[in-house]
Amino acid sequence: GPTGTLRIATTTDIGAIEIPFAQERNAINAAWTLYDSLLWLNDEGKLEPALAESWETSADGLSYTFKLRNDVTFHDGTPFNADAVVFTQQTYNQPEVVWVNEWQDVIVEKIDDFTVKLTTKEPNALFLRMVANRWAIISPTAYGKLGKEGFAQAPVGTGPFVFKEWVKGDHLTVTANPNYWRKGYPKVAEVTFRAMPESATRVAAIQAGEIDLATRLNS
């Protein structure tokens, strides 16, 4: 199983851990540990199945039919299915959502428990890449129990890591999902993201062995 802790320094505070509300790359990178999308982009930038096992695009380029995995559960133990995809799109297709443009202008239709159809108003060659990069699927049950504000503080997805603690302005800690659907992942037991805005502070923290990874360092 996964072992060890990975400590990552972020150059800004993590302002949100719901992907549709995350406005800065540090926050987006940290938040994605909690979620999966229908698709994902591999290291070569090619689309591969994730929560969707397969997909088909209509001849006119307007509709995408996804066959979903039937062996995935959210961190709260509830099953992932077509209802979760519909719920997620409806939840984030709201005016107050920062990235609402990535959830609007598309109709999400449940075909059966593990099939959904996404239909856009016009052909968009980048639509599937946007889904892979931005559509973080959430638990309808957890959202219903926690409410909008509560969910924002402790969101529930299907990702490789489970929310543990978020102290705004200081750190976000996530732990390995013991029931993650992708075999062999995650590789570490815990990840902590620590806010360190000053480059000199990040350098000093690495030298002192306080963190393992830092970016955007001044020479």
Side-chain angles (χ1 to χ4, degrees):
T3 60
T5 298
L6 179 64
R7 301 161 299 175
I8 302 174
T10 62
T11 60
T12 63
D13 183 24
I14 297 172
I17 50 178
E18 280 184 278
I19 297 296
F21 289 94
Q23 300 189 56
E24 208 276 334
R25 175 50 59 182
N26 284 266
I28 294 170
N29 289 344
W32 261 119
T33 60
L34 302 172
Y35 310 98
D36 292 303
S37 183
L38 302 178
L39 310 171
W40 73 292
L41 289 171
N42 65 22
D43 292 341
E44 298 178 350
K46 296 181 180 179
L47 289 167
E48 291 191 6
L51 293 179
E53 291 184 319
S54 63
W55 67 96
E56 295 181 354
T57 304
S58 63
D60 60 8
L62 295 178
S63 297
Y64 307 83
T65 302
F66 295 88
K67 293 292 185 180
L68 307 178
R69 297 183 65 93
N70 62 7
D71 59 350
V72 179
T73 57
F74 287 100
H75 300 156
D76 59 359
T78 58
F80 161 76
N81 52 32
D83 291 325
V85 179
V86 174
F87 177 83
T88 302
Q89 191 271 339
Q90 292 176 343
T91 299
Y92 294 131
N93 185 23
Q94 302 297 329
E96 67 273 15
V97 174
V98 173
W99 299 107
V100 64
N101 62 300
E102 294 169 341
W103 298 88
Q104 61 187 9
D105 297 332
V106 56
I107 297 172
V108 182
E109 178 186 0
K110 174 184 175 181
I111 304 301
D112 58 42
D113 285 348
F114 295 101
T115 308
V116 292
K117 182 178 180 181
L118 278 58
T119 303
T120 59
K121 292 184 176 180
E122 57 186 25
N124 181 353
L126 298 178
F127 179 74
L128 291 179
R129 298 180 71 87
M130 185 274 292
V131 168
N133 281 320
R134 305 297 296 187
W135 277 41
I137 306 301
I138 62 173
S139 165
T141 301
Y143 197 95
K145 290 181 178 179
L146 297 172
K148 179 180 177 180
E149 297 302 323
F151 191 87
Q153 303 305 311
V156 177
T158 64
F161 292 92
V162 179
F163 174 86
K164 179 180 179 180
E165 182 182 51
W166 183 26
V167 179
K168 291 185 178 181
D170 188 77
H171 70 274
L172 167 69
T173 301
V174 297
T175 59
N177 178 1
N179 301 310
Y180 193 47
W181 59 271
R182 195 187 297 274
K183 302 303 180 184
Y185 292 91
K187 299 294 187 181
V188 296
E190 185 172 280
V191 181
T192 297
F193 299 87
R194 293 181 55 190
M196 295 183 177
E198 298 297 328
S199 177
T201 303
R202 298 194 295 278
V203 171
I206 285 183
Q207 293 173 333
E210 296 175 358
I211 60 172
D212 304 302
L213 181 65
T215 61
R216 302 178 187 176
L217 299 176
N218 294 332
S219 59

